[in-house]
């Protein structure tokens, strides 16, 4: 969350940022509650000083009448202090609740817009393939090659679940190992993280565990949720800790299952593997000094570019507009891969689809999770926290199937994955 004092001292800028991000939050209410909390804190401190003075007076030699007077005054102060503490606690809850709705400030360079179509393209890598046959989408390829079974996934688990079969199983593992090896080369500490996290950790990262807008699955009566990304578990790893400045930045990566309700997500481009309830992902996460976070954000994006360049998938980089930023993000880059299966009347040869993103969340998450470092001046300060997708396996597999398909219905495996797969082509089978 944002610092309360910052909100008060930059109220108009905060309100403009909320507007630009197309979000609903009441910055005026936060300032009002902050001022009321400050007044209550002062009141409580004054009462505590009076109580201390009363206690000191009681240690003196006093006549019975005077002593009784101080005893009664002490009892009254005790009641007033208890009431003031109760009021302060209630005010702090309201203040925290209102402040958590306010998004992080956006980088001044972020394009202003409401929806993803207003994201700014900043770079293209590779050239979309020109097919001399009509390409299939990944759903058709997955079914014809006996790789993916959506129908039985729906029968057993419900819509947007699926089975991977045959070579797709090895392709998924190959993508994971390929990404992990690149991150190992960049000196990331590797994790396999829990698939469950406490609700307070999700709230600290910026996910809403409850309500119609929630994108996560809560476990009833447990106070926990299935994680939507390893960003949650890696971000919670150092919650409530003071980190050693000399060891920053900390580069972590985590492999996890990811579970998302995807409430309200629909449409032609959400079909198949693109938007599902469960998938595997390798996530990057960094704890950084504030002055280094912008540079590290670029570094994470370049690693994502390295991964998809190595796969030979054409992609573009977009600077995410204000309205498409998640609340914790200060700035976010998306990589959008070329997907021939997105062909329609407006885009007859295909279109771009997001496969990775990387966000600099500055100290927004660190304040909520209370992650600090001790600076050279001896003061504890909040770290900056960054995240980025190395591989979201379903979307990467989608892009490979569609871009590497052949006229005979087979799919060639990108050379970078062959050592992990053990085969270089997936061919049609008589029996799926």
């Amino acid at each position: 969350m944002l610092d309360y004092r910052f909100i008060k001292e930059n109220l108009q800028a905060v309100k403009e940022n909320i507007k630009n991000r197309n979000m609903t939050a009441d910055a005026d209410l936060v300032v009002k509650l902050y001022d009321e909390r400050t007044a209550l804190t002062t009141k409580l401190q004054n009462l505590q000083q009076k109580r201390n003075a009363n206690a000191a007076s009681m240690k003196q030699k006093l006549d019975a009448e005077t002593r009784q007077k101080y005893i009664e005054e002490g009892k009254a102060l005790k009641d007033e202090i208890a009431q003031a503490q109760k009021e302060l606690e209630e005010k702090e809850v309201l203040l925290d609740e209102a402040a958590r709705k306010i998004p992080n400030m956006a980088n001044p360079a972020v394009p202003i817009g409401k929806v993803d179509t207003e994201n700014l393209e900043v770079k293209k890598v590779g050239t979309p393939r020109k097919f001399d046959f009509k390409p299939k989408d990944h759903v058709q390829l997955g079914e014809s090659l006996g790789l993916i079974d959506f129908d039985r996934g729906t029968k057993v688990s419900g819509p947007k679940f699926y089975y991977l079969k045959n070579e797709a199983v090895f392709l998924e593992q190959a993508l994971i190992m390929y990404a992990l090896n690149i991150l190992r080369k960049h000196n990331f500490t590797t994790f396999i993280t829990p698939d469950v996290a406490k609700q307070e950790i999700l709230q600290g990262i910026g996910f809403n565990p409850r309500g119609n807008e929630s994108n996560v699955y809560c476990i009833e009566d447990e106070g926990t949720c299935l994680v939507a990304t390893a960003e949650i578990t890696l971000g919670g790893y150092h919650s409530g800790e003071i980190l050693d400045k000399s060891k920053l930045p900390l580069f972590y990566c985590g492999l996890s299952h990811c579970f998302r309700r995807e409430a309200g997500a629909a449409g032609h481009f959400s079909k198949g593997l693109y938007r599902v309830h469960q998938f595997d992902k390798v996530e990057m996460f960094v704890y950084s000094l504030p002055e280094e976070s912008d540079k590290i954000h670029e570094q994470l994006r370049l690693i994502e570019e390295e991964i998809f360049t190595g796969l030979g998938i054409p992609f573009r980089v977009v600077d995410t507009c204000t309205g498409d930023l998640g609340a914790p993000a200060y700035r976010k880059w998306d990589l959008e891969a070329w997907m021939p299966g997105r062909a329609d009347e407006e885009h007859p040869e295909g279109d771009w689809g997001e496969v990775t993103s990387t966000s600099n969340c500055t100290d927004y998450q660190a304040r909520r999770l209370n992650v600090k470092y001790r600076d050279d001046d001896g003061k504890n300060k909040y770290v900056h926290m960054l995240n980025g997708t190395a591989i979201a396996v379903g979307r990467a597999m989608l892009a490979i199937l569609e871009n590497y398909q052949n006229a005979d219905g087979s799919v060639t495996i990108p050379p970078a994955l062959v050592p992990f797969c053990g085969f270089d082509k997936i061919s049609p089978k008589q029996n799926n």
Side-chain angles (χ1 to χ4, degrees):
M1 64 176 65
L2 295 179
D3 178 69
Y4 300 144
R5 185 180 295 277
F6 176 88
I7 296 171
K8 180 175 180 176
E9 294 177 353
N10 300 273
L11 182 57
Q12 287 308 122
V14 170
K15 290 165 77 170
E16 185 67 18
N17 182 63
I18 294 169
K19 177 184 174 184
N20 288 341
R21 296 179 73 140
N22 201 29
M23 293 184 179
T24 302
D26 193 339
D28 289 316
L29 176 61
V30 172
V31 173
K32 175 177 177 290
L33 292 170
Y34 173 63
D35 287 342
E36 290 173 353
R37 189 198 70 166
T38 301
L40 281 170
T41 301
T42 301
K43 176 183 176 181
L44 179 60
Q45 290 171 344
N46 289 337
L47 288 170
Q48 289 169 334
Q49 288 174 358
K50 288 182 180 180
R51 179 193 60 191
N52 294 340
N54 177 275
S57 298
M58 289 284 288
K59 293 179 181 178
Q60 302 175 21
K61 286 188 177 181
L62 303 169
D63 58 61
E65 183 180 346
T66 304
R67 177 173 294 279
Q68 185 60 34
K69 175 187 169 186
Y70 279 124
I71 289 173
E72 290 173 1
E73 183 182 299
K75 288 179 179 178
L77 284 168
K78 181 181 178 181
D79 291 341
E80 286 186 71
I81 287 171
Q83 180 61 30
Q85 286 176 328
K86 180 183 177 184
E87 291 177 7
L88 180 59
E89 288 170 3
E90 291 173 350
K91 196 67 66 176
E92 285 179 335
V93 169
L94 293 173
L95 175 58
D96 180 77
E97 185 179 296
R100 283 178 181 272
K101 295 177 183 177
I102 295 182
N104 200 357
M105 299 299 289
N107 185 309
V110 169
I112 295 174
K114 290 186 177 182
V115 293
D116 58 4
T117 53
E118 297 175 89
N119 293 342
L120 179 65
E121 180 184 301
V122 296
K123 185 177 187 179
K124 276 185 180 175
V125 176
T127 303
R129 177 181 169 189
K130 298 286 187 182
F131 291 90
D132 56 6
F133 59 93
K134 185 178 180 180
K136 299 176 181 178
D137 65 33
H138 76 283
V139 176
Q140 296 168 313
L141 288 164
E143 291 175 346
S144 66
L145 292 170
L147 303 177
I148 314 170
D149 194 328
F150 293 104
D151 290 339
R152 289 188 176 90
T154 299
K155 179 179 72 172
V156 172
S157 302
K160 294 187 179 294
F161 286 95
Y162 57 95
Y163 286 85
L164 291 182
K165 299 166 55 183
N166 301 316
E167 292 95 338
V169 175
F170 296 92
L171 181 55
E172 163 145 339
Q173 299 304 311
L175 283 163
I176 291 170
M177 288 304 300
Y178 166 70
L180 286 174
N181 274 285
I182 288 177
L183 296 180
R184 177 164 55 180
K185 181 186 71 175
H186 287 283
N187 298 314
F188 281 72
T189 300
T190 53
F191 293 81
I192 293 178
T193 76
D195 288 336
V196 173
K198 296 177 180 178
Q199 289 186 19
E200 55 263 34
I201 299 296
L202 273 83
Q203 290 170 333
I205 288 293
F207 282 81
N208 178 18
R210 297 289 181 182
N212 293 334
E213 299 299 318
S214 176
N215 199 25
V216 297
Y217 290 102
C218 281
I219 301 173
E220 290 299 324
D221 303 321
E222 294 288 334
T224 57
C225 303
L226 298 177
V227 300
T229 166
E231 175 193 349
I232 294 166
T233 40
L234 292 175
Y237 190 74
H238 288 298
S239 60
E241 296 182 20
I242 299 173
L243 305 179
D244 185 342
K245 180 181 179 181
S246 67
K247 294 182 179 178
L248 295 175
L250 296 173
F251 286 85
Y252 292 165
C253 69
L255 168 62
S256 75
H257 301 304
C258 303
F259 302 89
R260 301 187 182 184
R261 291 177 60 225
E262 299 294 0
H268 176 59
F269 295 143
S270 294
K271 70 179 182 179
L273 293 175
Y274 190 79
R275 201 175 296 282
V276 291
H277 289 316
Q278 178 183 340
F279 60 96
D280 289 344
K281 180 157 69 89
V282 178
E283 180 78 2
M284 301 180 285
F285 198 92
V286 182
Y287 294 85
S288 161
L289 293 172
E291 61 268 24
E292 295 180 347
S293 67
D294 283 337
K295 178 186 71 176
I296 290 172
H297 193 205
E298 294 288 321
Q299 186 177 343
L300 293 181
R301 194 197 77 223
L302 289 173
I303 291 172
E304 292 178 347
E305 292 184 23
E306 177 185 349
I307 289 170
F308 276 85
T309 299
L311 291 174
I313 303 291
F315 65 87
R316 68 175 185 173
V317 180
V318 299
D319 194 354
T320 307
C321 73
T322 52
D324 198 32
L325 283 176
Y330 170 71
R331 194 174 199 180
K332 180 164 80 83
W333 304 102
D334 283 351
L335 259 65
E336 297 181 346
W338 182 251
M339 298 181 179
R342 290 197 163 201
D344 57 19
E345 288 185 8
E346 189 177 348
H347 306 94
E349 295 184 348
D351 202 359
W352 306 99
E354 180 194 336
V355 285
T356 74
S357 65
T358 177
S359 299
N360 182 359
C361 297
T362 61
D363 62 357
Y364 188 86
Q365 295 170 323
R367 288 180 181 276
R368 298 159 74 113
L369 292 168
N370 194 29
V371 186
K372 299 180 179 180
Y373 69 98
R374 183 167 286 110
D375 207 353
D376 297 335
D377 59 9
K379 295 180 179 178
N380 294 333
K381 300 176 182 177
Y382 291 102
V383 298
H384 279 196
M385 297 162 78
L386 305 95
N387 64 81
T389 310
I391 281 285
V393 175
R395 293 189 181 185
M397 189 180 296
L398 179 166
I400 289 169
L401 293 176
E402 293 188 358
N403 283 281
Y404 279 90
Q405 63 181 295
N406 303 307
D408 63 358
S410 66
V411 172
T412 301
I413 300 299
L417 298 181
V418 172
F420 303 109
C421 281
F423 50 85
D424 59 8
K425 182 179 282 191
I426 305 173
S427 299
K429 306 169 186 61
Q430 288 186 342
N431 233 330
N432 290 339

